[in-house]
Amino acid sequence: MPRAANVRLRALGPVKYAPSGARDLLLAVVMFGVVFAVYGGSLDAPFIFDDNATIVHNRSIERLWPLLRTAGRNGPLNPSAETPVHGRPAVNLSLAVNYWFGKLNPRGYRLINIGLHAMSAILLWLIVRRTLQLDFFQDKFAHLTGSLSFACAVMWALHPLNTESVVYVTQRTELMMGFFYLATIYSCLRYWEAELLVKRRTWMMAAVAADLLGMLSKESMATAPLMVLLYDRTFIRGSIWRAWRESWPLYVGLTLTWIVPVVLNLSGSRTPMVGFGLGVSAWEWWLTQAKVLFIYLKLAIWPWPLLIHYEMPYLQTISQAWPWVVGAALQAAVTMLLLWRRFAVGFASAWLLVALSPTIVIPLVSSVAAERRMYVPLMAIVCVAVAGGYILLAPCLMFLSSRRQGPSTWRVGNVTVAAALSVATFFGLVSVRRLAMYGDELTLWLDAEKYEPDSLMVQTSIGTALDNAGRHEEALARFEKLTREHPDEFLPHYNLARLLESAHRLPEAQEHAASVVRLRPDFGGGHYSLGRLLERAGETQRAQQEYEEALRRYPDFPMAHYALGCLLEKEGDTPAAQLHFEEAISLYPQFPSAHRSLALLLSRNSQVQQAIPHFEQVLRLARSADAYANLARAYADAQRPTEAIATAQAAVDSARLGGRIDEAQRIQQWLTTYRQALAAAQGKAVKVSGAGQSQPSTGSATP
C-alpha cells in the first residue's frame, strides 16, 4: 500500500491512549439514551411557527421524485422561495423523507432531529478526545482524554440552550449544519493522522463531502473551512503557510465548496428579512450585536429564561452601546493575541466568534437574537469549561491536600468529570422543563410574553395561537388592540382582517386588508385577502386586479390561483379559469376545492373523461355525499353505468349517515330515474336488435 509522498511524519503522532472499541460503542449507546431521555417527551409536540411553511404547506416535500422540478412543481432539492428551507436543499430532502414515511406526524420529524443531535454529540466527543491526545498538550491530560471528552459532549448535548434547535423542527437546518460541521473537522483529523495515501485521499474526500452537505444545509457552514485552517495552524502545523503546504489538496477542496451557497442564493436572499437596506443600518445592527454577544455568553453560563423569540431596541449610538462594544473589542483583541501565541483557549474563542459571525455581520431584522445560533458556538464554551476546569482544579486540590506530592492525575480528573456530569444533569433537568413549553404553542408564546411583553411578534403569535385554539373573541380583541398600538405595522392589520372576515364583519375587514396593502405592497397575502373581500362586496374588477397582483408578487400561491380561476369562470373566461385551476392543483395537489371546480368546469364543457380523475381525487381527499354524487353523474355521462349506480348508492348512504335526509332523497330520485333510463335504453336496444337480426347493444343512456 503506497504511503503519502509529502508526509514525513504522522501529523498527529501515534494515538497514545487508544480506547476499546467495545467501550466506545457502549458509550455511544449511552449518549443516545441520555439524549433521548431528555428529549423523548417532546416527540408529540405540535408543529409551531415556521413549521407550517417548512412542512405543513411545503408542497416540495410531498414526493421524493423528481428531485428538482416537473410539471411546474418543485421537487425536494428545489424548495420554494421565501420558505425557511429555500437554498437549503439537503434539509428539504430530509423533510421529504420524513413526509414519505409519516406524512405530517410530528413524531418522525422530531425523532430524526433527536438522532442528529445525539450523533453530533458523539462526533464532538471523538473530536475532543483526539484533540486532547495531540502532542500540543504534552500529556497534560494523560489517560483522562476519554472521560473528559465524553463529559464535554454530554454537557453540550443536554445544555438547555440547544432545546430550540432540537425540538423546533424547522431548525433541522441548524442541526444538519452542526453535524456536518463536526463531520468535516473529524474527517480532517483522520486525514492528517493517516499514513497511507489511500486513507488520506478517502478522508479528504469525506471532509469535502461533509463540508458540501453542510453548505447545502445552512449558509453558516461557510465558516467551517476557516476553522479547519485555524485548527491545523493552532494544534498541528504551527503556521498557516506550513498547514497549506502540507494539506493544500484538502484546502482547495474545502474552498471550492464556498461556490455552493453563492450559487444557491444567486436568485436572491432566502428570506426578504435578511440583508442591508431593510430599515436597519449596518452600524445599528453591529452595535446591537455587540450586546447580543454577551447575552449569548450569559445564556451559555446561566440558561434562563429561554425564549422562542428575543426582541430588543436597536442601539444607535456609541454612547448607548459602549460597554458592549468595548467588551466585544477586548474579546476580539485577546482572541487574536491568543491565536497568534497558539493557545488552545484562543482557538476556542475564535470558534465562538467565527461561528457567530454570519449573523453578527449580516442583519436578520426579523430576529435580533436566537438561541439556535449558539448550537455550534456553544461547543467551544463547554469544552473550555471542562478542560479548563481540570487544569485549574489541579493546583487548587494540591493546595488543599495535606500530601506533599499533591493529588493524583486520576483524582483531579475524577473530580472534574464528576463536576461536569453534575452540571450536565442540572442542564438536563432544566431542558426537560423548557421542553414542556413546546407541548402547546399558546403556552410557549405566553411564556415569552412574561419576558417580552412589548414584542409585536410575541403578541401576534399569541393572537394566532388563541384563534387556532378556538378562542376567537380573545384573538379578535388582542389584534384590535395591536392595530391601535401599532397602526403602521402590517401584520396586526392582516390578522385582524382575517378574523373580521370570519366574523362576517366585512366592511371592517376590507378596511384593514387595504391597510395591509398600503403598508406592505410586496406582500402577496395582503393582496389576496383584499381581493377576496372585494369579490364578496361585488367589486369583481378590483378583486381580479388584487388577485393578479398577489400572483405577480408570489406566483406559487395556490389559493390566489384558485380564487382568480373562480372569478374568471363567473365572468365567462373558461380557458383562463381552467389554467388557474390547473396551476393551483399543481402547486397544491391536495386541494379538494380546486379539483372540484376544475372537474365541474370540464364536465360542463363535455370533457367528462378528463373530469373523472379530479372528481375521484375530491372523493379521496374529502369523502362526502356531494363528492359521491358528482362522481356518480360523471360516471353516468361517461357511459359507465355499473360504477355510476354503485357510487350514487354510496352518496345516498353518506347523506343519510350525515343526517341530510333531503339530499339523500334527491340523490335517490336521480338514481331511480337513471336506472329507469338504463332499462328503457336496454329495452329499445333489444327491440332494434330483434328487428335487424343484430347483436344486443351494451351501451347505456344517461337520464
Side-chain angles (χ1 to χ4, degrees), residues 58 60-61 67-68 75-80 84-97 173 176 212-219 260-261 264-265 270:
N58 184 0
S60 65
I61 69 171
L67 293 174
L68 295 175
L77 288 184
N78 185 26
S80 301
V85 286
H86 176 57
R88 299 165 175 182
V91 177
N92 202 59
L93 180 60
S94 76
L95 295 174
V97 172
T173 55
M176 289 182 64
L212 177 63
L213 289 169
M215 299 288 186
L216 293 170
S217 301
K218 193 171 184 180
E219 299 80 358
V260 174
L264 288 174
N265 289 276
R270 177 184 57 82

Side-chain angles (χ1 to χ4, degrees), residues 448-456 458-459 478 482 485-486:
E449 186 184 29
K450 297 176 185 176
Y451 307 97
E452 300 282 355
D454 299 324
S455 169
L456 179 60
V458 171
Q459 293 297 332
R478 185 173 289 265
L482 286 176
E485 295 175 348
H486 304 276

Side-chain angles (χ1 to χ4, degrees), residues 135-297:
D135 289 338
F136 176 89
F137 290 102
Q138 299 178 346
D139 284 338
K140 189 173 293 184
F141 298 97
H143 295 275
L144 296 168
T145 56
S147 55
L148 289 174
S149 59
F150 191 78
C152 287
V154 172
M155 186 184 294
W156 173 80
L158 302 187
H159 200 291
L161 204 51
N162 288 331
T163 51
E164 179 186 330
S165 298
V166 180
V167 75
Y168 183 3
V169 179
T170 295
Q171 300 317 317
R172 184 175 296 182
T173 55
E174 200 75 43
L175 292 175
M176 289 182 64
M177 184 274 293
F179 173 77
F180 289 122
Y181 209 108
L182 292 170
T184 301
I185 300 290
Y186 180 75
S187 298
C188 289
L189 278 167
R190 300 302 301 268
Y191 164 80
W192 292 320
E193 173 190 306
E195 286 184 309
L196 299 177
L197 184 60
V198 66
K199 286 188 176 182
R200 284 176 64 83
R201 288 176 175 172
T202 300
W203 283 110
M204 181 184 71
M205 289 188 291
V208 173
D211 194 32
L212 177 63
L213 289 169
M215 299 288 186
L216 293 170
S217 301
K218 193 171 184 180
E219 299 80 358
S220 302
M221 187 70 185
T223 63
L226 176 59
M227 292 315 303
V228 170
L229 179 61
L230 290 178
Y231 186 103
D232 194 359
R233 186 258 179 196
T234 301
F235 296 114
I236 301 172
R237 310 295 182 185
S239 72
I240 290 179
W241 166 245
R242 188 180 173 197
W244 169 262
R245 187 183 63 193
E246 296 288 347
S247 304
W248 68 266
L250 171 68
Y251 291 114
V252 169
L254 295 178
T255 302
L256 288 176
T257 62
W258 275 334
I259 298 173
V260 174
V262 174
V263 171
L264 288 174
N265 289 276
L266 279 178
S267 60
S269 173
R270 177 184 57 82
T271 166
M273 303 305 289
V274 173
F276 300 95
L278 296 173
V280 179
S281 69
W283 179 250
E284 292 174 347
W285 181 260
W286 295 336
L287 291 180
T288 306
Q289 287 302 302
K291 180 179 180 179
V292 170
L293 174 62
F294 287 93
I295 292 175
Y296 288 151
L297 292 174

Side-chain angles (χ1 to χ4, degrees), residues 483-504:
T483 54
R484 291 193 298 269
E485 295 175 348
H486 304 276
D488 295 329
E489 295 287 346
F490 83 96
L491 202 54
H493 288 287
Y494 175 73
N495 283 283
L496 182 55
R498 178 175 56 82
L499 292 177
L500 288 169
E501 183 182 4
S502 299
H504 304 290

Side-chain angles (χ1 to χ4, degrees), residues 540-553:
T540 55
Q541 187 173 358
R542 287 183 60 197
Q544 181 175 338
Q545 292 172 353
E546 293 298 332
Y547 289 146
E548 290 172 346
E549 183 64 16
L551 291 172
R552 191 179 73 81
R553 301 286 185 177

